Amino acid sequence: MDETISFNKQGFETRSVGDFAETAYLDYAMYVILDRALPHIGDGLKPVQRRIIYAMSELGLRASAKFKKSARTVGDVIGKFHPHGDSAAYEAMVLMAQPFSYRYPLISGQGNWGSPDDPKSFAAMRYTESKLSEYANILLSEVSDGTVEWRPNFDATLDEPIIFPAKVPNLLLNGSTGIAVGMATDIPPHNLDEVVSACLHLLDNPKADVETIFDFIKGPDFPTGGEIITSKIDIRNCYQSGKGSIKIRAIWRKEDGAIVIDALPFQASGSKILEQIASQMRAKKLPLVEDLRDESDHENPIRLVIVPRSNRVDFDALMDHLFVTTDLEKSYRVNLNIIGLDGRPKVMTLHEILKEWLKFRREVTRKRLSFRLEKLNNRLHLLDGLLIALLNIDQVIKIIREEDEPKKEIINRFNLTIIQADYVLETKLRQLARLEEIKIRSEQTDLAAEKSTIELTLESESRLKTLMKNELKEVSKKFGDARRSLLNERKEATAFSETDLMTVDPITVILSEKGWIRAAKGHDIDPNSLSFKSGDSLLASTIGKSNQNVFLQDSTGRFYAISSHTLPSARGQGEPASGRLNLPAGATITGLIMGQESQEVFVGTSAGYGFRTTISDLYTKNKAGKVVVKIPSLSRVIEPKLIMHNKSLIVAVSNEGRMLVFDLENVPRLSRGKGNKIINIPNSRLQKGEEWVVDYAIISEGSSLVVSSGKRYLSLKPNDLQNYIGERGRRGHKLPRGFQRVDALSAE
């Protein structure tokens, strides 16, 4: 970045605001990424976590020590290593002590350290006590063995380790989350035995491909258990790309006619889940549940009981609904963004993480062995000098008593180094007794043997690998445990629809001439007996069930769907249907119909055209409706007719008293359109408004038909209908005198 820097007359540096802001923000971003939010691949810790653990070790708070007030630890952390707020440091400390947050906690605590229901309900630091856990020793045991680099703390008065020499990939075992500037990390926890097994396999087979790793690491292993339902393929994709998501569900079982939940998804709150279920019950959106109980205690940390309303409730369907609508199922993001050995953040695959950590561990092991070898050489060097002095003890004592510079004389007389001479002069006389010679020679033998072993190990790659494998196995034997999160691939859960949850009742839907709609319970309602607004009257009615939609037809051939259970009660006068719909200008509601989705419907026009369709073909979520019937010019739609029987006849009658009857099977099935000619109305008469179809009727074979004309009614028995049977599209036959002006048709 090009920067313009100049100095004024007073010698102050002057820079443009843009340059200064850009530099400052980049510095801040790099600090957040490298020194706050992202973990290091070596020990899997962020700086604040590393400083807390180191400060506790410096206070002597190892696993074998007594507990000490957490406030003391936090004071040392922020006073010596991490100059930030005490609450932030304490919260990071609490997280490492919570067994429901960390798969392998690094801190042991006494007092209130929060609960799975509310992880932030922990007591203040002045009330809690803490020390390091046994597991933390795998991070600290080699710190003083020359394995780490040190740097000055913030005020350069103390040194702190840059990274811990972890004995296992703690990054994968406990996971990590963090938000930096422009990047984030979300690493799920894993099982120690599985991760160690994968490391051992890679040590034996350095060129092992990615697929073999999945034979050992099946997926994440969350501290709270639960059931991972993500497919193996999706889990592998997460590990192979470094990004993805994992879905985990609660574990439940049937007990005495109730649902008992024993394990929750990671970071899910039992009390929040119960509140989510209870809110659905209060809103009458979950009538299948009668009672909820939280029976969690010390013996059963998680025990939530859901009591269904009856034993006829489908438990699996109910739990599927709760998985979708509550935190009983959660999705966790996977983003393996890590600071690598080169000090740069990078999204790594699982294979890359393991290989890079093994590279780190190999280097740590070499440093530890080299450090130990140097100490052995120094000790052997001192013992050589001490043994020479012991064998010449009388001369050494005489030199010390008589010479002005005994050190120089001892060096010259016995050919010792300065270090050896200093060590001899500092040794107490009682250590130069005759018996000490045996101890010195024995120590030399032991140290020489250890030195030889270390040298052979450093020179042999296979010996070094064997040592690393043995150390990994030792940690696995001590801290390894069984997998907690079950791996069961399951299908996507679906929630109940609004109609699934409601009680199914028979209803009658009534539509008035002016478009007011309402619903009455039962099928024995006489729509004509209901009251209507002044100047209004009954247009149409239909029967169905409360979990079905009612379909309204308008004068343009459109159909609209309304959930029938949302309609106002017939005890009132209803509400305008147009208020729920977006009707075209000038359009009016002309009919309505209800039925099962698969049930067939006949729709037609006064021009003599029509077709069969199904209820499902009429459905639309669009308030503007769905165009189903194409209306020829100078004609109108006829109210739709429900087809109740497979073997049925269709009857068409014109205003001139011409009627045609034929088998319904001859009418085509369409999803939309104009349809085929049902009865022949001459186009010239239709255009002049002289003849048109008054109505259609669908009657089952063997049924009678009632033809109404004004106040007259004509009942046609099955034998009578034979006179009007013809082929589809014919003119039909004339009705008897007095029924030349037909109003409507109806089955008897």
Side-chain angles (χ1 to χ4, degrees), residues 457-568:
T457 302
L458 287 171
E459 292 169 2
S460 170
E461 188 66 26
S462 62
R463 283 176 175 266
L464 188 64
K465 284 184 181 179
T466 302
L467 177 62
M468 291 171 62
K469 286 164 61 178
N470 290 337
E471 290 175 349
L472 284 168
K473 289 176 183 176
E474 185 181 343
V475 175
S476 180
K477 184 178 179 181
K478 186 172 184 179
F479 297 105
D481 56 3
R483 166 174 279 277
R484 297 181 189 175
S485 296
L486 305 178
L487 289 161
N488 292 313
E489 183 178 344
R490 298 193 184 275
K491 65 179 182 179
E492 196 79 17
T494 54
F496 292 132
S497 65
E498 201 171 357
T499 54
D500 291 334
L501 295 170
M502 69 176 63
T503 56
V504 180
D505 299 313
I507 60 168
T508 301
V509 179
I510 300 99
L511 180 70
S512 75
E513 290 278 358
K514 292 188 176 179
W516 286 64
I517 193 169
R518 49 187 157 162
K521 285 188 178 181
H523 289 169
D524 55 351
I525 305 297
D526 180 7
N528 291 297
S529 66
L530 300 175
S531 64
F532 293 86
K533 287 181 174 292
S534 178
D536 202 0
S537 60
L538 176 68
L539 173 65
S541 66
T542 185
I543 60 172
K545 295 180 180 179
S546 57
N547 64 341
Q548 294 174 339
N549 291 311
V550 58
F551 294 89
L552 281 66
Q553 182 190 59
D554 74 2
S555 55
T556 67
R558 285 178 169 83
F559 277 84
Y560 307 83
I562 297 177
S563 298
S564 60
H565 71 276
T566 64
L567 295 175

Side-chain angles (χ1 to χ4, degrees), residues 84-322:
H84 294 270
D86 57 350
S87 60
Y90 182 50
E91 194 167 325
M93 180 179 173
V94 167
L95 195 68
M96 292 189 287
Q98 292 176 336
F100 48 85
S101 295
Y102 262 47
R103 182 66 176 81
Y104 302 94
L106 295 165
I107 295 174
S108 297
Q110 281 190 158
N112 176 12
W113 289 82
S115 67
D117 271 350
D118 187 3
K120 295 196 175 183
S121 62
F122 49 84
M125 66 181 109
R126 60 183 177 275
Y127 299 122
T128 61
E129 297 179 335
S130 58
K131 64 178 181 178
L132 292 171
S133 67
E134 281 281 351
Y135 176 81
N137 199 47
I138 69 167
L139 301 175
L140 294 164
S141 61
E142 298 173 348
V143 167
S144 57
D145 292 344
T147 55
V148 299
E149 296 182 11
W150 299 77
R151 65 183 172 197
N153 67 339
F154 64 91
D155 60 0
T157 57
L158 297 166
D159 286 335
E160 62 175 330
I162 294 176
I163 191 170
F164 287 144
K167 290 184 175 181
V168 287
N170 182 61
L171 174 73
L172 290 174
L173 301 182
N174 278 319
S176 184
T177 60
I179 300 174
V181 176
M183 61 179 65
T185 185
D186 291 278
I187 305 168
H190 293 78
N191 183 270
L192 190 147
D193 283 344
E194 292 181 7
V195 172
V196 168
S197 296
C199 291
L200 295 175
H201 179 72
L202 279 176
L203 284 171
D204 288 331
N205 306 278
K207 295 183 179 179
D209 59 14
V210 178
E211 291 298 321
T212 59
I213 300 300
F214 302 131
D215 294 335
F216 302 97
I217 300 179
K218 311 291 185 183
D221 188 22
F222 296 97
T224 53
E227 183 181 50
I228 297 173
I229 64 167
T230 305
S231 68
K232 290 181 181 179
I233 295 174
D234 289 340
I235 293 175
R236 290 187 178 193
N237 289 339
C238 288
Y239 287 146
Q240 287 176 331
S241 65
K243 290 188 175 183
S245 65
I246 302 289
K247 280 188 178 179
I248 184 167
R249 283 182 183 174
I251 295 177
W252 65 279
R253 57 189 169 84
K254 298 177 184 178
E255 184 182 294
D256 299 331
I259 295 169
V260 177
I261 297 169
D262 295 315
L264 296 177
F266 185 48
Q267 295 176 336
S269 164
S271 59
K272 182 181 177 183
I273 289 170
L274 290 179
E275 176 56 34
Q276 289 171 335
I277 300 173
S279 65
Q280 292 187 54
M281 294 171 66
R282 286 194 297 268
K284 301 188 183 299
K285 292 183 178 179
L286 199 56
L288 303 180
V289 176
E290 183 177 5
D291 190 23
L292 298 173
R293 294 195 302 271
D294 186 352
E295 297 181 355
S296 305
D297 53 29
H298 289 292
E299 292 184 3
N300 302 290
I302 299 295
R303 183 179 167 85
L304 307 181
V305 181
I306 301 172
V307 182
R309 190 165 294 278
S310 74
N311 56 8
R312 294 191 302 274
V313 171
D314 186 337
F315 282 31
D316 292 311
L318 173 58
M319 286 305 297
D320 272 359
H321 172 79
L322 295 177

Side-chain angles (χ1 to χ4, degrees), residues 648-704:
S648 297
L649 300 173
I650 181 168
V651 182
V653 65
S654 74
N655 63 314
E656 291 291 333
R658 286 188 173 275
M659 190 169 78
L660 178 65
V661 181
F662 59 90
D663 196 331
L664 187 63
E665 283 296 323
N666 294 321
V667 177
R669 289 186 179 89
L670 300 172
S671 59
R672 62 176 70 188
K674 177 181 176 181
N676 285 20
K677 185 172 287 188
I678 305 300
I679 185 171
N680 185 14
I681 304 294
N683 191 53
S684 58
R685 292 181 62 79
L686 182 67
Q687 296 294 328
K688 293 177 181 178
E690 295 174 349
E691 188 177 359
W692 61 88
V693 173
V694 174
D695 202 0
Y696 298 97
I698 308 296
I699 60 173
S700 60
E701 289 184 347
S703 297
S704 300

